[in-house]
């Protein structure tokens, strides 16, 4: 290993880091009190969970993905990040699936309110892909962008250290290139890694990232390194497993709300909610009030919910979206069209999770293509 | 806030294995609190002491499978302010509803030396086939958590937080990796109601459908997908015809694949 040069890493600068030095980086994060979350193999998939050393990473593994299909496979090489996104997304750490908002205890004449004992975790995310950085930016807008800021999300988000990894392998259901959300990482991460066969190229994203890298041996990246990064990103963009033509997409969907394709996809849709659970931007939740047998304690719990449940659409005495057609159409048009009206961006980042983890392989890129190809078709019978 | 009088709780048994009643007895830490909040008026599995009706809350286990039971469930309905059926037998006819798919007289001749002594109904059916039911608590057996939630909601005069959506939502909240997508294991989770906490997928098994069909099930789509990925029609009949075989959505699916397996004879 070459002697590390004396240097001052600055935001925007590029460095070359030996792969084993990722361990030094993890140790530096742990020393600063971060809980490091990164990819690791569990239950036959690459999920996000706590990691402590680089040997926890799925080194030498990749995934094969298609509609309703995911399998782990050995790679020919020992790449650290040679796979696409798995069933988990980072939202489960920023927007926990189940969260107790507080308890009430009966107290003489009234109630005592006990807020959640929640010293928020200080997370460092390792291996955040470009599409996922976009997804986090979308969640930022949803939870912190308006007048009503979500304190649970904000506490986790503001403490977050983000290490992005630019994809050098595209998955079978990936289409970030179509959505303009990858594979090149957008700004926002503290550090941005790109894996080359023999080293990482590290781009310093923020001052915090610079401070962390100051303790990690590395050398300035060469012109050849830069060129290799660009070449890898181009190659990834070319090998996307899926494509989505986004031209005029909201208008296309809005003028096809009665297209027969909705009825056709409803025949296959299980309304199980998996697509919304795995989506990195679906943020809906429900609030449950629980009480104990003796009526002395009550608890308010927030849980992930889905627009595919009937309770979700329960309004004024009955669920308003009774049919699978109405629910699938609501989900897809929200992701790709009305999200623009609501938040000024697409709600879809092209990660492909909803395709892979749909138990019957429903593919939103295929649904949009079917509607585009028969734009203006009307259902023979309105339902 | 003292309640005027303790509500009277009754627990009834019909054709069943007693597992759901045992779930109530299994609430060990909560049993004393429960006994403080309700008068356990009729619960033969726990005590011979019986208090006469009417009852505020009746929990009914088991399916209705004899003419005598029809009269009994009607009388219980008359005596009960709230009637809640518990478990797959009481809510869907149970595993014994497998006999609904054949002629019951054939079984009688096969099993009993003197079948003429046996009085049975053509079909094993849920209580709701005979009387109005206020709430169905699903499961084979029911879960302790949902049972306590039901009773707590009853005591506090609120709706129980018992969802009707798929098992998948529980699976995904827990962060369990989908056994169907990642391992190709057939799983009824997408068409089955939540409530078990995704117990089987947590142990790398497909869901058996113990909690019966979810609110808007699409078993034909799931079944056809499994058929296209290596299962046969007889496999699918066995998948759908278990504890909740006679719940309408699973029954239709079972019939559909039985038909496909044996096009000549309808089941």
């Amino acid at each position: 290993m070459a002697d590390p040069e004396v240097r001052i890493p600055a935001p925007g600068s590029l460095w070359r880091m030996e792969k084993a030095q990722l361990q030094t980086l993890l140790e530096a994060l742990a020393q600063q009190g971060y809980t490091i979350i990164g990819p690791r193999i569990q239950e036959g998939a690459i999920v996000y969970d706590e990691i402590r050393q680089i040997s926890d990473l799925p080194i030498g593994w990749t995934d094969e993905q298609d509609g309703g299909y995911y399998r782990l496979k050995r790679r020919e090489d020992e790449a650290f990040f040679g796979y696409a996104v798995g069933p988990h997304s980072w939202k489960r750490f920023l927007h926990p699936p189940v969260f107790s908002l507080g308890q009430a205890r009966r107290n003489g004449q009234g109630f005592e309110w006990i807020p959640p004992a929640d010293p928020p975790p200080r997370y460092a995310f390792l291996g955040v892909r470009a599409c996922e950085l976009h997804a986090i930016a979308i969640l930022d807008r949803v939870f912190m962008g308006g007048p009503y800021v979500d304190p649970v999300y904000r506490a986790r988000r503001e403490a977050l250290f983000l290490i992005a990894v630019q994809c050098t392998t595209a998955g079978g259901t990936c289409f970030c290139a179509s959505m303009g959300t990858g594979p090149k990482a957008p700004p926002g991460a503290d550090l941005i890694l790109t894996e080359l066969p023999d080293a990482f190229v590290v781009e310093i994203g923020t001052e915090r990232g610079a401070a962390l890298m100051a303790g990690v041996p590395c050398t300035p990246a060469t012109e050849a390194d830069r060129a290799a990064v660009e070449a890898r990103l181009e190659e990834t963009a070319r090998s996307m497993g899926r494509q989505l033509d986004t031209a005029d997409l909201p208008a296309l969907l809005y003028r096809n709300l009665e297209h027969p394709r909705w009825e056709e996809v409803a025949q296959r849709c299980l309304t199980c909610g998996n697509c919304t659970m795995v989506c990195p931007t679906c943020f809906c939740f429900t609030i449950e009030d629980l009480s104990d047998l003796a009526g002395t304690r009550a608890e308010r719990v927030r849980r992930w919910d889905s627009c595919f449940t009937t309770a979700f659409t329960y309004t004024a005495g009955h669920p308003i979206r009774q049919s699978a057609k109405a629910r699938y159409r609501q989900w897809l048009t929200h992701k790709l069209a009305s999200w623009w009206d609501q938040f000024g961006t697409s709600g879809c980042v092209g990660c492909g999770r909803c395709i892979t983890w749909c138990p019957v392989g429903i593919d939103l890129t295929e649904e949009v293509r079917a509607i585009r190809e028969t734009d203006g078709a009307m259902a023979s019978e309105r339902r | 806030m003292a309640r005027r009088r303790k509500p009277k709780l009754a627990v009834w048994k019909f054709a069943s294995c007693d597992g759901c009643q045992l779930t109530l007895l299994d609430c060990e830490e909560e049993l004393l609190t429960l006994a403080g909040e309700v008068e356990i008026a009729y619960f033969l599995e726990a005590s011979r002491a019986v208090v006469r009706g009417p009852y505020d809350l009746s929990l009914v286990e088991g399916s209705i499978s004899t003419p005598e039971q029809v009269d009994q469930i009607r009388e219980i309905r008359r005596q009960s302010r709230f009637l809640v059926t518990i478990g797959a037998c009481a809510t869907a006819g149970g595993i014994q509803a497998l006999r609904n798919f054949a002629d019951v007289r054939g079984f009688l001749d096969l099993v009993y030396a003197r079948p003429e002594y046996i009085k049975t109904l053509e079909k094993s059916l849920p209580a709701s086939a005979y009387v109005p039911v206020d709430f169905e608590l699903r499961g084979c057996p029911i879960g302790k958590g949902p049972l306590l939630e039901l009773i707590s909601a009853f005591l506090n005069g609120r709706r129980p937080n018992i969802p009707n959506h798929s098992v998948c939502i529980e699976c995904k909240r827990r962060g369990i990796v989908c056994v169907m997508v990642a391992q190709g294991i057939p799983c009824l989770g997408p068409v089955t109601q939540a409530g078990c906490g995704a117990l089987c997928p947590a142990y790398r098994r497909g869901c058996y459908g113990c909690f019966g069909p979810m609110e808007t099930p699409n078993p034909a789509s799931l079944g056809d997908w499994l058929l296209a990925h290596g299962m046969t029609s007889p496999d699918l009949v066995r998948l759908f015809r278990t504890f909740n075989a006679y719940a309408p959505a699973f029954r239709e699916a079972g019939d559909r694949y039985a038909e496909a397996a044996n096009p000549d004879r309808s089941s």
Side-chain angles (χ1 to χ4, degrees):
Chain A
M1 194 177 71
D3 281 331
E5 293 180 17
V6 179
R7 83 281 188 232
I8 306 158
S13 62
L14 280 177
W15 301 82
R16 182 183 175 88
M17 178 179 82
E18 297 298 321
K19 285 198 179 179
Q21 292 302 335
L22 188 58
Q23 180 66 31
T24 314
L25 202 149
L26 295 188
E27 283 161 15
L29 282 169
Q31 233 158 35
Q32 292 184 22
Y34 285 107
T35 300
I36 306 165
I37 309 292
R40 61 185 304 167
I41 292 179
Q42 269 171 23
E43 302 170 38
I46 295 167
V47 303
Y48 296 145
D49 203 347
E50 193 171 341
I51 58 166
R52 291 170 192 279
Q53 54 261 319
I54 53 174
S55 58
D56 292 336
L57 297 169
I59 296 173
W61 287 91
T62 190
D63 48 47
E64 204 174 278
Q65 299 195 39
D66 203 346
Y69 181 87
Y70 180 102
R71 291 293 183 279
L72 285 179
K73 265 177 53 184
R74 280 307 297 193
R75 287 176 63 92
E76 313 248 305
D77 60 16
E78 295 295 303
F80 281 41
F81 295 98
Y83 36 84
V85 296
H88 288 178
S89 76
W90 303 102
K91 83 174 174 187
R92 67 182 304 105
F93 300 97
L94 299 172
H95 171 46
V98 181
F99 190 82
S100 174
L101 296 170
Q103 292 194 357
R105 198 160 33 204
R106 199 184 287 281
N107 177 4
Q109 296 305 304
F111 278 104
E112 180 194 354
W113 178 252
I114 308 157
D118 181 35
R122 263 165 64 86
Y123 288 129
F125 292 170
L126 169 67
V128 183
R129 308 308 177 116
C131 61
E132 299 181 312
L133 285 171
H134 278 275
I136 292 171
I138 287 171
L139 290 183
D140 287 351
R141 227 160 288 145
V142 170
F143 284 116
M144 309 198 299
Y148 305 104
V149 170
D150 184 86
V152 180
Y153 182 88
R154 183 172 68 185
R156 284 155 180 72
R157 180 65 178 96
E158 286 180 347
L160 184 63
F161 194 98
L162 272 170
I163 304 176
V165 167
Q166 304 196 102
C167 289
T168 47
T169 304
T173 55
C174 287
F175 57 103
C176 67
S178 298
M179 302 310 290
T181 52
K184 186 163 180 53
D190 295 297
L191 296 172
I192 300 145
L193 272 54
T194 310
E195 187 170 15
L196 300 180
D198 55 342
F200 288 111
V201 173
V202 184
E203 183 185 339
I204 311 293
T206 62
E207 293 292 348
R208 264 198 323 177
L212 189 82
M213 277 307 285
V216 180
C218 55
T219 55
T222 63
E223 270 316 306
D225 293 334
R226 279 167 202 274
V229 168
E230 290 310 315
R232 292 217 136 202
L233 292 180
E234 275 169 33
E235 171 57 26
T236 306
R238 269 197 307 270
S239 51
M240 294 279 133
R242 295 288 196 277
Q243 284 179 345
L244 179 66
D245 177 0
T246 59
D248 208 19
L249 189 48
L252 172 78
L253 295 174
Y254 285 150
R255 68 175 174 262
N256 282 289
L257 293 177
E258 295 302 333
H259 195 285
R261 184 71 183 189
W262 301 114
E263 190 53 52
E264 197 277 331
V265 67
Q267 298 298 313
R268 288 175 284 134
C269 177
L270 303 170
T271 63
C272 59
N274 273 305
C275 46
T276 59
M277 297 284 119
V278 296
C279 176
T281 69
C282 275
F283 56 84
C284 287
F285 55 82
T286 184
I287 304 279
E288 283 177 6
D289 284 342
L290 304 165
S291 54
D292 69 352
L293 284 169
T296 55
R297 266 176 179 278
E299 187 179 7
R300 177 159 289 181
V301 179
R302 181 161 99 174
R303 294 178 206 278
W304 283 359
D305 200 1
S306 168
C307 51
F308 282 90
T309 73
T310 51
F312 183 87
T313 74
Y314 194 90
T315 308
H318 69 108
I320 53 168
R321 284 191 286 271
Q322 309 236 5
S323 66
K325 168 189 161 183
R327 280 180 261 164
Y328 186 85
R329 182 178 59 189
Q330 159 64 25
W331 175 72
L332 188 129
T333 56
H334 188 211
K335 281 285 129 183
L336 299 174
S338 53
W339 206 291
W340 283 100
D341 308 331
Q342 197 180 358
F343 299 111
T345 66
S346 165
C348 173
V349 295
C351 72
R353 285 183 180 89
C354 59
I355 306 172
T356 300
W357 300 97
C358 172
V360 293
I362 294 173
D363 179 342
L364 87 169
T365 66
E366 217 173 279
E367 298 313 310
V368 170
R369 187 173 306 116
I371 288 171
R372 195 181 284 284
E373 280 169 2
T374 48
D375 186 2
M378 293 294 282
S380 52
E381 186 188 351
R382 281 185 70 129
R383 296 202 189 185
Chain B
M1 190 176 78
R3 293 196 182 90
R4 284 181 300 278
R5 114 186 131 71
K6 285 204 250 177
K8 284 161 79 177
L9 172 73
V11 184
W12 308 93
K13 176 191 160 61
F14 288 86
S16 58
C17 78
D18 290 43
C20 293
Q21 294 185 69
L22 279 176
T23 302
L24 182 54
L25 283 178
D26 192 31
C27 297
E28 292 174 355
E29 288 190 7
E30 295 85 358
L31 265 184
L32 280 179
T33 314
L34 180 65
E37 298 298 317
V38 300
E39 179 182 8
I40 298 176
Y42 185 98
F43 187 12
L44 294 186
E45 179 116 349
S47 169
R48 282 186 302 182
V50 166
V51 180
R52 281 174 36 185
Y55 305 99
D56 294 292
L57 174 61
S58 275
L59 302 178
V60 174
E61 179 196 82
S63 71
I64 309 302
S65 70
T66 69
E68 191 188 18
Q69 288 176 334
V70 176
D71 297 337
Q72 282 170 350
I73 190 66
R74 288 192 172 131
E75 181 55 25
I76 289 167
R77 176 70 271 188
R78 270 192 291 276
Q79 298 266 345
S80 306
R81 195 153 63 89
F82 281 95
L83 190 158
V84 175
T85 47
I86 59 171
C89 300
T91 61
I95 188 79
Q96 61 274 25
L98 285 175
R99 70 175 166 87
N100 299 0
F101 298 99
D103 183 355
V104 73
R105 278 160 304 190
F107 294 127
L108 291 184
D109 293 343
L110 207 67
V111 173
Y112 296 98
R114 302 292 298 271
E116 64 270 25
Y117 291 141
I118 305 296
K119 271 192 233 149
T120 189
L121 295 168
E122 271 298 300
K123 289 183 165 44
S124 166
L125 292 176
S128 61
Y130 299 96
V131 296
V133 167
D134 296 301
F135 194 86
E136 291 185 334
L137 193 63
R138 301 278 197 81
C140 186
I142 56 169
K144 178 178 150 176
L147 177 63
L148 287 170
E149 166 60 14
L150 175 95
I151 298 173
S152 299
F154 167 76
L155 289 172
N156 289 289
R158 60 174 175 83
R159 277 176 70 101
N161 288 304
I162 293 177
N164 307 118
H165 58 61
S166 70
V167 173
C168 301
I169 289 179
E170 288 188 310
C171 232
K172 289 290 188 286
R173 283 187 192 138
R174 286 187 62 180
I176 297 167
V177 176
C178 180
V179 297
M180 198 161 134
V181 171
Q183 294 177 57
I185 297 171
C187 179
L188 286 181
V191 296
T192 299
Q193 182 166 305
C196 62
L199 185 61
C200 292
Y203 291 94
R204 323 280 178 278
R205 301 292 297 260
C207 167
Y208 291 95
C210 304
F211 278 62
M214 50 85 95
E215 53 191 3
T216 52
N218 189 350
S221 169
L222 181 68
D224 287 356
W225 175 269
L226 293 171
L227 209 54
H229 290 81
M231 285 187 96
T232 65
S233 293
D235 293 338
L236 284 164
V237 175
R238 279 191 292 275
L239 190 66
F240 284 111
R241 286 187 182 168
T242 59
F243 320 102
N244 287 283
Y246 218 60
F250 288 1
R251 184 173 77 213
E252 281 166 33
D255 288 350
R256 172 189 165 101
Y257 296 107
E259 183 87 12
N262 267 317
D264 299 339
R265 48 179 271 245
S266 68
S267 58

